Amino acid sequence: MAKVKSKKSATANQKPAVKRIRSQAITKANIAVAKLQKDAKAAAKTLRIARKKAKVAKKISQATKSRVKKKAAIRAQTTSRKAAAKAAALNARIRIAKAKARAVESAAIVKARKAAEVVKTEADLKKAAAEFIARWKKKRAKAEAAKVAKQARKDAQKARMAAKKAVKKEKTAIKKAAAKAKAAARKAARKITSTKKPVGKTMAKKKAAKKRKAPAKKRVAKKKVVKRK
């Protein structure tokens, strides 16, 4: 069980593989490195053979002390030196090619990062613009609602004032109509009283005339009663 746990923990600790950037320049640089490495491998093999031959030729020339053998040894050493120089040159070219490949890959990574940053920046800008537009719309809607509410209050106030004026006007009209009706009633009453016969006044005149014709009664003088002391 412990081994299984250790395996699980080992697999859990493994980092996810990073996606390698692929581009034509990187592929070309890697192909050049691979070709140089192949040439360097062949040059190293040639160098090993040349060194062996030079070593053998040197031993033979030292043993025999012959001019031909010495010349052969010199030629073998020259060939070995040339092979070594070629191998060294190829190794140098490999280092340069590898450095170039790394530079190309780094440039591609930087370019990819910049592109990703541009995409992210554009996404952030779009998001920020959308948020700004949403806030602006909300603010504008709020302002419009406040404006509409203010206008509604003004309209309501105007309507109330108009209603008050209408009521006042109606009351004034009613009062005027009532006053006119009263005046008309008074006028009509006056006309009625003027058309009636003055019966009461004639009767009063007749009674006054009768009183004048009747003889006046003698007034009896009251005797003064003298009080005795």
Side-chain angles (χ1 to χ4, degrees):
M1 294 296 288
K3 287 182 180 179
V4 174
K5 283 183 181 178
S6 64
K7 282 180 182 179
K8 283 184 180 179
S9 61
T11 52
N13 289 327
Q14 285 178 359
K15 291 181 180 179
V18 180
K19 288 183 179 180
R20 295 187 70 181
I21 296 166
R22 293 179 182 179
S23 71
Q24 194 174 358
I26 293 170
T27 305
K28 195 175 179 181
N30 289 330
I31 288 168
V33 170
K35 189 179 178 183
L36 287 170
Q37 283 175 343
K38 189 178 179 181
D39 293 342
K41 193 175 180 181
K45 189 177 180 181
T46 305
L47 178 61
R48 282 196 301 272
I49 293 166
R51 279 178 178 173
K52 281 180 183 179
K53 284 181 179 180
K55 194 175 181 182
V56 170
K58 189 178 180 182
K59 281 181 181 179
I60 291 167
S61 67
Q62 285 176 356
T64 57
K65 293 182 180 181
S66 171
R67 278 187 176 182
V68 177
K69 299 294 180 182
K70 282 182 180 180
K71 284 181 180 180
I74 290 166
R75 282 197 300 272
Q77 284 178 0
T78 304
T79 305
S80 176
R81 287 194 195 99
K82 284 181 180 179
K86 188 178 179 181
L90 283 169
N91 287 329
R93 286 177 68 187
I94 286 167
R95 286 193 294 273
I96 292 165
K98 282 183 177 179
K100 189 177 178 181
R102 284 195 297 271
V104 169
E105 190 174 359
S106 298
I109 289 167
V110 170
K111 191 176 179 181
R113 281 179 184 170
K114 282 183 178 179
E117 284 175 2
V118 167
V119 171
K120 190 177 181 297
T121 305
E122 286 179 357
D124 292 341
L125 283 171
K126 283 181 182 178
K127 189 179 178 182
E131 287 176 357
F132 175 77
I133 289 165
R135 284 197 301 272
W136 180 76
K137 283 183 178 178
K138 191 176 179 182
K139 193 175 180 181
R140 188 178 177 184
K142 194 175 179 181
E144 288 291 333
K147 192 176 178 181
V148 170
K150 190 176 179 181
Q151 189 63 38
R153 285 195 295 272
K154 281 184 179 179
D155 293 340
Q157 191 174 0
K158 283 181 181 179
R160 283 196 297 271
M161 288 176 73
K164 282 181 181 179
K165 283 181 180 179
V167 170
K168 193 175 180 181
K169 193 174 181 181
E170 192 175 352
K171 283 182 179 179
T172 307
I174 289 166
K175 283 181 181 178
K176 284 182 179 179
K180 283 182 181 179
K182 281 182 182 179
R186 285 174 188 167
K187 196 173 181 182
R190 284 174 190 169
K191 282 182 180 180
I192 290 164
T193 51
S194 62
T195 52
K196 282 182 179 180
K197 292 180 179 180
V199 178
K201 287 182 179 181
T202 52
M203 290 296 290
K205 284 180 181 179
K206 284 180 180 180
K207 284 180 180 180
K210 283 180 180 180
K211 282 180 180 180
R212 285 173 193 161
K213 287 178 182 179
K217 291 180 179 181
K218 291 181 180 180
R219 292 180 181 178
V220 179
K222 290 182 180 181
K223 291 180 179 181
K224 291 182 180 180
V225 180
V226 179
K227 291 181 181 181
R228 291 180 182 179
K229 291 181 181 179

